[in-house]
Amino acid sequence: MLDESLLDAPDGLAEADRRGLLRGAAEAGARVRTAARHAAEAGIAGLRPDGRPRAVLIAGPGAAATHAADFLGSLAGAGSPVTRLVPTGVAPAAGALRWELPGWAGSVDLLLVATPDGTEPGLSLLVEQAYRRGCTVVAVAPPRSPLSESVNGSHGLFVPMATAPYDQDEPVAGAAPGVLWALLTPLLALLDRAGLLTAPPDALEKVADRLDQVAERCGPAIATYSNPAKTLAAELFEALPVIWTEGTSAGPAGRRFAAALAELSGTPAVVAELPEALAAHSTLLAGRLAAGADPDDFFRDRVEETPALHACVVLLRDRPGGGLTAAPAARDLALGHDTPISEIEPEAGGELESLAELIAITDFAAVYLALASGA
């Protein structure tokens, strides 16, 4: 059961936060600044690339690498395709995973390696393979890890991951907020220098500022009634989150939210982009998951009987351009089936700032749901 009283008990939340998730969300802005400094110290700011890479390949374990590839691909557009190398193996353990370069990869391509571990033998082998093929290699990982030695020995560029002391207290979750920004920030700075996207130092500073602002609005000391992340967490308890997105930045933010809900709190979710989501999920909302589908639910014993699972729509919007929006149709579809709908839209700002705000609010919501449900 959801302990709603815990949402408004900062000390209780801190005690329940054994994985440092809430601290990671609250310190996301500081993590961006530290990661940007590490990137500059590693020499990224002084790079003068000869041209844009033909393709960008990203390798790494778990959700962090998946989300980084998704975000970078959305921001870079079609200029240089961003592809995540999917690992193979018998278990999701550092020693069991293997990565392979595609047959066409060569000297005009860029390999990015992002991992919060750095001990994966498969990544070290991948770096050696890329060196033999002539690929440029850039890695972000914990300092003094076996991967750092492999990258330096292959004449690649290694950026130390921005870590926090509590990262070592418990196994790091791939969807943890601090992990994402520690790995993503140096890659944003790098692809800015390569001309694939726009993320100069002042833009990264604005991202950090926006993350700080969200932390002030969504922090544990802010009451649920005025805290959008706590409110969303309470709404999603014992519900099936149906996440709809609209806008370039909202798409990857929605997919990350669904992954974070599953990994951190054990809550399954479905996600789709508007306007296709209206057709994809119309049958779902018209079925037994609609709030009005069970007329006997009103008479259910709230103490003894397990509640029926109902859908709850979460609409993430990134101020779509051109004045065209499917949001009214989305509201009509949800409310027409007695399904609640929550909307999150970032404040005015650049694309990176909008993405950061959507990620931050939903990260806080996923963490609050995990802590209050005892996950």
Side-chain angles (χ1 to χ4, degrees), residues 175-189:
V179 173
L180 172 69
W181 291 111
L183 297 178
L184 181 61
T185 302
L187 302 183
L188 287 170

Side-chain angles (χ1 to χ4, degrees), residues 279-370:
H281 293 159
S282 61
T283 303
L284 182 153
L285 296 185
R288 58 185 178 83
L289 291 174
D294 184 5
D296 296 328
D297 185 69
F298 180 81
F299 301 100
R300 176 177 59 83
D301 187 321
R302 290 322 198 243
V303 176
E304 299 294 336
E305 298 181 24
T306 302
L309 182 67
H310 296 310
C312 179
V313 173
V314 180
L315 176 57
L316 305 182
R317 302 182 64 211
D318 178 23
R319 300 179 179 272
L324 297 176
T325 175
R331 299 183 192 107
D332 290 343
L333 178 61
L335 298 178
H337 292 296
D338 297 322
T339 300
I341 179 170
S342 297
E343 299 186 36
I344 300 176
E345 182 175 324
E347 298 178 1
E351 187 176 21
L352 278 177
E353 295 171 78
S354 297
L355 175 63
E357 182 171 344
L358 291 174
I359 293 172
I361 294 175
T362 52
D363 274 353
F364 268 107
V367 170
Y368 284 130
L369 184 58

Side-chain angles (χ1 to χ4, degrees), residues 220-256:
I222 306 301
T224 299
Y225 67 85
S226 59
N227 187 320
K230 289 183 179 180
T231 300
L232 183 57
E235 291 172 348
L236 295 182
F237 180 67
E238 292 184 343
L240 173 67
V242 179
I243 303 169
W244 292 344
T245 67
E246 186 174 51
T248 302
S249 298
R255 290 186 286 274
R256 170 175 168 79

Side-chain angles (χ1 to χ4, degrees), residues 169-216:
D169 295 342
E170 295 285 339
V172 178
V179 173
L180 172 69
W181 291 111
L183 297 178
L184 181 61
T185 302
L187 302 183
L188 287 170
L190 174 70
L191 295 191
D192 172 74
R193 300 303 303 164
L196 270 67
L197 50 79
T198 303
D202 62 328
L204 294 179
E205 183 61 32
K206 289 180 180 178
V207 166
D209 292 341
R210 183 67 65 94
L211 292 171
D212 288 343
Q213 293 168 11
V214 174
E216 293 177 0

